[in-house]
Amino acid sequence: MLEFFGLKKDVNGNFSFLRTAEGAWSWQHILQVSILMILMVSLAIFFGKRNKNKTDKEKNKVLIACAFLINGFEIIKIVVLCIRTQNPMHWLYVLPLFLCSIQLLAIPAAAFCKGRIKQACLDFVLTFGILGAVFGTVGATQNYGAYPVFSMDNVFSGITHSISGFASLYIAISGMISLKKENFIITVAILLIFSCMAYVANLIVDYNYMFLMYHDGTPYSIIYDLVGGNAVIYPLAVVGIFVVYLVLFYLIYLKLIKKDGKN
């Protein structure tokens, strides 16, 4: 159990993993993310179809459960990381300021808020939840290269990202989806506010939230190289991609709805 949490001491007396990381795209990595993706999709289909014709209150209970689960796992991880690093301030480096970890706040907001704020948060979870789930599991090559596959870091991260993906699919399948044009500005505002918070946090604690300072081995390396690592253009380009993705998601959905209406 201590090995799972990285709480065994090495020869220098520091908490760490005594096992070597299997690495990205190892069979262990592929097996773990495959199981997570299958469970994510299967459970979303099951609960989504089961609740499709139920009241909004009944549908919302699943989101409430997601909110408690995703934050429960994250809190445990933060506590363990503070112990492992022997730094009670380590939580400054695990704030929910990555695009995928914003779901730690967006899912509870979607579950407990009312009116247009709730609808905008539902849209945000729907739009970015599945994206974060895929990139945070299948594409999390840096994590699988740094930590053993069966460790808290990869297991808990995989679970929380999968919960985000589950919530995204559940919202669509159960009929909680709104994607109303009048709520688009609120959804964009949520994205921009968190992006600004992430950038400021990066400057204060010298970190890389939302990968706004450096690509860190992610696909953002394409943008980083294109702009030569420019400290102004690069973060603006990253946020710009988020906004473009959001716009395209809305446009495609609205076009499909219009087409269905004609039929």
Side-chain angles (χ1 to χ4, degrees):
M1 184 60 71
L2 291 177
E3 174 68 10
F4 175 81
F5 289 104
L7 293 177
K8 282 193 173 182
K9 290 190 175 182
D10 59 19
V11 292
N12 297 316
N14 298 317
F15 289 120
S16 66
F17 294 101
L18 302 185
R19 291 175 293 134
T20 302
E22 294 85 353
W25 309 120
S26 61
W27 69 265
Q28 295 94 334
H29 171 202
I30 295 172
L31 177 63
Q32 186 178 91
V33 299
S34 296
I35 292 172
L36 288 170
M37 292 297 99
I38 290 171
L39 285 173
M40 178 186 79
V41 174
S42 300
L43 290 173
I45 292 173
F46 173 76
F47 284 105
K49 287 189 173 182
R50 190 190 70 171
N51 294 346
K52 189 173 181 65
N53 297 317
K54 292 187 178 181
T55 64
D56 290 342
K57 185 177 181 180
E58 289 296 316
K59 293 178 182 179
N60 202 55
K61 288 180 179 179
V62 174
L63 286 184
I64 292 174
C66 287
F68 281 106
L69 284 172
I70 193 171
N71 281 282
F73 278 106
E74 191 66 14
I75 290 170
I76 294 172
K77 185 176 79 173
I78 291 171
V79 171
V80 172
L81 288 176
C82 287
I83 296 172
R84 186 199 296 172
T85 59
Q86 301 181 58
N87 177 13
M89 299 304 291
H90 186 76
W91 58 270
L92 289 171
Y93 300 97
V94 285
L95 295 171
L97 292 176
F98 284 105
L99 184 62
C100 47
S101 59
I102 294 174
Q103 303 296 342
L104 292 163
L105 302 176
I107 292 176
F112 294 106
C113 289
K114 304 291 183 182
R116 290 182 63 185
I117 298 297
K118 180 182 183 70
Q119 292 177 352
C121 289
L122 285 169
D123 292 349
F124 190 92
V125 175
L126 169 70
T127 307
F128 290 106
I130 189 65
L131 185 70
V134 174
F135 279 99
T137 55
V138 179
T141 54
Q142 69 277 16
N143 283 351
Y144 285 94
Y147 310 108
V149 169
F150 188 67
S151 66
M152 177 199 71
D153 303 72
N154 283 320
V155 173
F156 278 26
S157 178
I159 290 173
T160 54
H161 283 86
S162 297
I163 290 173
S164 297
F166 165 83
S168 174
L169 294 173
Y170 173 77
I171 288 169
I173 297 170
S174 67
M176 297 184 78
I177 186 172
S178 63
L179 287 181
K180 295 178 180 178
K181 289 184 286 187
E182 56 267 31
N183 294 331
F184 176 75
I185 297 300
I186 301 177
T187 308
V188 172
I190 294 171
L191 174 62
L192 295 181
I193 289 170
F194 274 101
S195 297
C196 290
M197 291 171 61
Y199 190 77
V200 171
N202 288 335
L203 296 176
I204 294 174
V205 301
D206 188 23
Y207 203 52
N208 193 26
Y209 284 118
M210 272 198 184
F211 303 105
L212 295 179
M213 314 306 284
Y214 183 66
H215 62 78
D216 201 22
T218 65
Y220 296 122
S221 60
I222 299 172
I223 306 169
Y224 191 87
D225 292 339
L226 282 174
V227 302
N230 187 284
V232 176
I233 299 176
Y234 170 70
L236 289 175
V238 171
V239 176
I241 288 176
F242 298 156
V243 175
V244 169
Y245 168 76
L246 189 59
V247 170
L248 290 175
F249 198 100
Y250 265 78
L251 289 176
I252 292 171
Y253 174 77
L254 292 173
K255 187 173 182 179
L256 290 173
I257 289 297
K258 186 176 180 181
K259 182 178 179 180
D260 289 343
K262 287 181 178 180
N263 293 335

